[in-house]
Amino acid sequence: MSVGRGCVAGGVAAALWGVQEPLDRHLMGTSFSDVSFLGKLLTRDPVLSLLLPGAKNEAKRAQLASNSWRVGMLCHMLNGAAVGGLISLVSRRSGWGPMKASMAVIMTEHVATYPLTYWSDRYHPARKEGDVGPVFDRPREFAVATWRHILFGLVVGLGLKAM
């Protein structure tokens, strides 16, 4: 099982995650979007936005901010590709099948990183503007994040089995 195939499966899984977010937000009664969260972080933070091409120009930065969902989706897919590659490595080195490795890695990542939402609730640049709601200490947001990680894990696991 190659790392490249894991990257492809992870990128596809992250894209599916982002595309289905409006549906799960509606069904779960939450407004939180990982894709928007990332996009608004990258386009509104004065330091992080400098990583984007042309962001030193104030007009270009305003244009990037208006496209924050697209920037967030791209970042989410790149992150998903990296995680998919990691899952492929874990599967190969542990001897676990792709589904077991996928679910183990992605749920470990979810549980390990969720506490970081404590700081994002306080310091995310879009929080001050009311564009990103609080996440930490919110069972509904934890539940929807859990669902999204399970979906990601299933898509990567199935994708790696099929490849």
Side-chain angles (χ1 to χ4, degrees), residues 4-108:
R5 289 180 177 166
C7 291
V8 170
V12 168
L16 179 61
W17 170 325
V19 169
Q20 71 80 46
E21 272 188 349
L23 177 63
D24 74 32
R25 287 172 35 205
H26 174 74
L27 294 174
M28 297 286 282
T30 181
S31 63
F32 185 75
S33 164
D34 292 272
V35 172
S36 292
F37 177 90
L38 285 171
K40 290 173 183 176
L41 178 65
L42 286 170
T43 59
R44 294 185 186 179
D45 184 89
V47 175
L48 291 176
S49 64
L50 294 176
L51 299 172
L52 300 171
K56 290 182 181 179
N57 176 323
E58 197 62 40
K60 182 70 172 175
R61 194 169 6 202
Q63 182 184 6
L64 286 168
S66 70
N67 289 308
S68 63
W69 190 88
R70 289 184 184 132
V71 171
M73 180 61 109
L74 177 62
C75 180
H76 200 254
M77 289 173 66
L78 290 171
N79 184 54
V83 173
L86 174 65
I87 289 167
S88 179
L89 283 173
V90 168
S91 178
R92 189 170 60 207
R93 293 198 178 171
S94 67
W96 293 346
M99 189 60 73
K100 182 176 182 180
S102 184
M103 296 311 291
V105 168
I106 200 62
M107 294 315 292
T108 300

